[in-house]
Amino acid sequence: MDLNRIQMFAQVVEKGSFTKAAKALGLTKATVSRKIAELETDSGVQLLYRTTRALKLTEAGSAYYNKIQRILIDLQSAEDQLSASQDTITGNLAIVCPIELGQLFFGRIFARFLERYPEIKMEAELTNRKVDVIEEGVDILFQVAEVADPRLQSYRVLNTVKSLMASPSYLAKYGEPKTPDELQDHKAIQLKSTHIDGGWTLFDGKKWLTVEPEAQLSVNNVTLAREAAIEGLGIATVPNLIAQNALQEGTLVSLLQDFPMAQTCVTLSFPRRAYLPRKYRAFIEFFYQTLLENRPDEVLEIPEFLELKR
């Protein structure tokens, strides 16, 4: 029995194409196609209908996939259990995090973690796009958004406190808004991405109000929005973490402090598994230790499998 062929077949079914399965497995399309053909020849059964547009399981292929899927899940569980009990922490970690957080904070955390665990290799991607952890084979995902994916175990890490900000030069030219209604008369720098709708939502003491002033500049990167605001282009929404230096230096001023904005939070997610691989636990524990040393009062949730004290 060739387990590699079985895994390839499962990936073809789950991805819906030879091309996507080959990419996920790190193989060529020709190799995957050849192995599936060998599987069908050796079994004497056609498993897939092949058309120019899509792949479809035959009746025999569907029954076969349902059986091997359970077996592959058990194999993954056995591998995770073995990983959870190993003495030396090894393996590869694929981590995805927002661009701005990665640039400002994660570089040093990753470096210190890898220095402590020299047998681990890490591939880190900084992006603000929507990521499918399971489909893309991601181990750890950080994002500025609530997570509702039942396939993932997720924890709320930190609130991303944000507010409207502008430069002193902009305020000298256009005046400072005193109420949310006055924002309609101002220029906006719109921050819009997969997880951000671009509007400004504030609480006036009774209800939430959403304001969408005219924007000459729309961006998907908060660092760029911050720099444009410092230059006096308009008002921008900037998390306090990202604007900390600018606020201290006086190049940005917080606005409408009596009208708090709707907040988001940083979340940490990883695939749900019966046994947590040791490399996952090692990284998550290191990350939370670092967080508790620097921002102990801001941590929202600590994973129950960690024995850490605030």
Side-chain angles (χ1 to χ4, degrees), residues 32-52:
V32 174
S33 181
R34 186 181 74 253
K35 288 293 185 180
I36 301 303
E38 290 175 0
L39 181 61
E40 290 178 316
T41 300
D42 291 346
S43 64
V45 177
Q46 184 177 359
L47 301 173
L48 295 165
Y49 292 120
R50 297 160 175 82
T51 70
T52 55

Side-chain angles (χ1 to χ4, degrees), residues 33-100:
S33 181
R34 186 181 74 253
K35 288 293 185 180
I36 301 303
E38 290 175 0
L39 181 61
E40 290 178 316
T41 300
D42 291 346
S43 64
V45 177
Q46 184 177 359
L47 301 173
L48 295 165
Y49 292 120
R50 297 160 175 82
T51 70
T52 55
R53 293 187 176 181
L55 296 174
K56 186 178 179 181
L57 284 168
T58 64
E59 184 176 350
S62 179
Y64 182 66
Y65 173 71
N66 288 333
K67 288 184 178 181
I68 66 168
Q69 185 184 36
R70 292 193 292 271
I71 294 170
L72 290 174
I73 290 173
D74 287 341
L75 285 172
Q76 181 65 62
S77 180
E79 185 175 331
D80 290 343
Q81 185 176 14
L82 183 63
S83 172
S85 63
Q86 67 180 346
D87 294 328
T88 303
I89 302 177
T90 64
N92 299 320
L93 271 177
I95 299 180
V96 177
C97 59
I99 295 172
E100 298 80 10

Side-chain angles (χ1 to χ4, degrees), residues 248-287:
Q248 291 174 349
E249 295 168 0
T251 53
L252 282 180
V253 177
S254 291
L255 308 174
L256 299 172
Q257 292 298 294
D258 293 333
F259 301 89
M261 299 194 74
Q263 302 296 330
T264 53
C265 67
V266 177
T267 56
L268 178 153
S269 303
F270 52 88
R272 287 185 181 275
R273 292 185 171 181
Y275 296 94
L276 190 69
R278 284 201 70 196
K279 61 182 181 180
Y280 282 27
R281 184 186 180 105
F283 176 79
I284 294 168
E285 184 171 14
F286 185 88
F287 169 73

Side-chain angles (χ1 to χ4, degrees), residues 156-159 265-266 288 291 298-302 310:
R156 298 167 66 247
V157 179
L158 293 171
N159 280 325
C265 67
V266 177
Y288 268 93
L291 204 61
E298 300 177 35
V299 178
L300 299 177
E301 293 179 339
I302 297 178
R310 289 179 180 269

Side-chain angles (χ1 to χ4, degrees), residues 144-175:
V144 183
E146 295 286 351
V147 180
D149 191 335
R151 302 173 301 167
L152 305 180
Q153 182 67 50
S154 299
Y155 297 91
R156 298 167 66 247
V157 179
L158 293 171
N159 280 325
T160 55
V161 180
K162 61 184 179 182
S163 60
L164 294 172
M165 301 182 189
S167 69
S169 62
Y170 174 87
L171 297 176
K173 187 175 181 179
Y174 295 100

Side-chain angles (χ1 to χ4, degrees), residues 25 94 113-114 129 153 168 192 231 292:
L25 293 166
F113 171 75
L114 293 173
R129 67 181 177 86
Q153 182 67 50
K192 193 171 184 179
E231 287 299 312
L292 290 170

Side-chain angles (χ1 to χ4, degrees), residues 14 105 162:
E14 291 164 10
F105 303 108
K162 61 184 179 182

